[in-house]
Amino acid sequence: MSGTESGRGRRTALVASVAAGVLLAGGGGLYLTAAGDEGEAGTEAKGAAAATAPPLLRLGGGSGGTAPDAGIAPGEPDPGGGPNGTVYRAEGPLPQGPSSAAVHRPEGLVTSEEVTRLAVALGVEGRPALVGDVWTIRPEKDGQGPRLDVARQAPGSWTYSWYDGGPAGDTCLKGKACPPPGEAKPPAGGSPVSEAAARAAAAPVLKALGQDDAKVSATQVMNGSVRVVNADPVIGGLPTYGWSTGLHIGPDGRPVAGSGTLKEPAEGATYPVVSAERALAQLNEASKGTGPIGIGGCATDPPAGEPQAPDGAGKDAPCQTIVDMAPPRQVPVTGAVLGLAATDTADGRLLVPTWLFTADPADAAPYTVTSTAVAAEFLVPPATPSPEPVAPEPSDGTAPVRRIESFTVGGDGRTLAVTFWGGVCHAYTAHAAEDPRQVRVRIEEKPLDPDRACILVAKEITVEVTLAAPLGDRPVVDAASDEAVPRR
């Protein structure tokens, strides 16, 4: 056989193998079907497919895997959600969207030059100094002044506030008390600037961050005189959620506080994505998981305000169950757009392709709900959760450890609402310890009546704690377990 014929034979075999294959949209790989002896070309193509297929995503960051991220977007309320969930109903056709989209992940280290560029935009003078893993610019003299802290590790979470003088009292101005840590400079009265003026004041900062194309809102006013600007950047051509920049603009038109991320996440693996219609169905399926709530009790009568046991279920009666069969709440969905939502994964916090739905209830303001757009076959299957154990009260009177299940952030960026399981006979408060890298939250539990027997009933509890500075992109850590708490 001549060299030409030999080459033609090899090309024919390769074409036949490719014809038997199927391209996976967005996955970047070529998967070949079994068609006799694959030969060298078939083996190489199969190896290339395995090498380019995106890795599975484990959403939630837990070792056992979680369900696809679906629910209220970070910082949004769930008006009247109810224990039996909410059903979201599309008011019209939903978009199909692209066949694939890429995740984006924080990579690299923040440089001194990048910090200086942000400092100049904020009006902070001085050279950044590296203190541990944080770039810091503080006033050179004792007393108050602007302070900028930027985490060196990507994504470069930063906070800007009015310097409190430090923990030692003698570093504050003599005769004046230090304000709480991280508190912004109190505005000296006056009226808030207009929305247009606030946007103009925020523009240089957003430009320094590379977010001058961000979606900007300036409707919120704090303390009667501070205008709040929230900016959601566009990354990889897609809008983002949960990755926002927040700036507080004082009555004089200058920033008095702020937080956000300095380094834009890099593009990662590309995944096939589902349509908005399928993502909305996933959202409703997740909502159904809450189901009717069973409440049991038998030791004594429930405290005032708690559900009462059926007739005859006194303290000596066997345990009973009360079932709340209230129907789910119906909420219209009036819009949907494919975006990138900040999501906890086993590899840290990533921006994951996500459908952002506009929920528009008749009795409340519109809000955003999210549902992961990544195709289910590229997600680690969720682990079956075990029932939450209800432990008896300890005999020594100490409070049992409470694990924080999730948290949300209020519109001001400083109000954390943490959710956990607790008993009906205790009062709970949350305490936060902050630094530029993280926020550690501890739950304190106290019995309402130490001398009274308590029924063994667990319920989901949410308490709030106000931070000294906006959360930004800092992770929330459960002080009891030393684990990161997923954002709901």
Side-chain angles (χ1 to χ4, degrees), residues 134 159 433-440 474:
V134 178
T159 57
E434 305 176 49
D435 63 46
R437 289 169 293 180
Q438 65 178 9
V439 174
R440 297 179 66 85
R474 291 179 294 173

Side-chain angles (χ1 to χ4, degrees), residues 13-362:
L14 179 58
V15 169
S17 296
V18 172
V22 178
L23 279 172
L24 177 63
L30 177 65
Y31 294 85
L32 302 180
T33 61
D37 186 6
E38 296 174 326
E40 183 179 349
T43 302
E44 291 176 354
K46 183 175 290 185
T52 56
L56 296 183
L57 282 176
R58 187 188 299 273
L59 302 184
S63 60
T66 61
D69 182 31
I72 305 301
E76 296 288 356
D78 182 7
N84 288 335
T86 299
V87 173
Y88 295 97
R89 183 186 66 256
E91 290 286 272
L94 293 174
Q96 178 69 27
S99 61
S100 63
V103 300
H104 286 70
R105 63 179 67 244
E107 289 183 358
L109 298 175
V110 175
T111 66
S112 174
E113 290 74 17
E114 291 172 320
V115 177
T116 300
R117 185 170 63 248
L118 174 59
V120 170
L122 288 167
V124 179
E125 298 180 354
R127 295 175 59 86
L130 193 59
V131 180
D133 293 327
V134 178
W135 290 107
T136 299
I137 303 179
R138 305 181 186 181
E140 295 181 359
K141 299 179 180 180
D142 290 345
Q144 298 178 357
R147 170 173 174 167
L148 176 63
D149 293 303
V150 183
R152 184 167 177 253
Q153 184 68 44
S157 300
W158 63 269
T159 57
Y160 163 68
S161 61
W162 198 255
Y163 186 47
D164 61 16
D170 58 1
T171 61
C172 294
L173 292 175
K174 300 303 180 184
K176 295 185 178 181
C178 290
E183 182 174 301
K185 177 184 178 183
S191 301
V193 298
S194 67
E195 291 187 33
R199 290 170 180 264
V205 179
L206 296 178
K207 184 175 180 61
L209 295 169
Q211 299 177 6
D212 40 345
D213 59 350
K215 177 185 176 182
V216 177
S217 170
T219 58
Q220 183 183 359
V221 174
M222 293 180 59
N223 301 326
S225 58
V226 177
R227 178 76 64 176
V228 179
V229 176
N230 290 309
D232 295 314
V234 175
I235 296 178
L238 296 176
T240 60
Y241 208 100
W243 203 262
S244 61
T245 296
L247 288 168
H248 294 184
I249 309 299
D252 59 358
R254 293 185 297 180
V256 296
S259 65
T261 56
L262 181 53
K263 213 166 187 65
E264 180 173 321
E267 182 175 324
T270 298
Y271 290 86
V273 297
V274 300
S275 66
E277 182 179 1
R278 177 57 192 145
L280 187 63
Q282 290 177 173
L283 182 63
N284 288 325
E285 289 167 8
S287 179
K288 289 178 184 178
T290 55
I293 304 299
I295 303 176
C298 54
T300 185
D301 293 334
E306 296 295 335
Q308 300 296 312
D311 292 341
K315 66 180 181 178
D316 297 325
C319 295
Q320 303 289 334
T321 299
I322 307 167
V323 177
D324 178 7
M325 295 300 293
R329 175 181 169 85
Q330 301 278 336
V331 174
V333 167
T334 57
V337 61
L338 184 68
L340 297 172
T343 307
D344 290 313
T345 74
D347 296 325
R349 197 159 180 79
L350 306 181
L351 285 169
V352 176
T354 301
W355 283 102
L356 311 177
F357 295 101
T358 300
D360 193 7

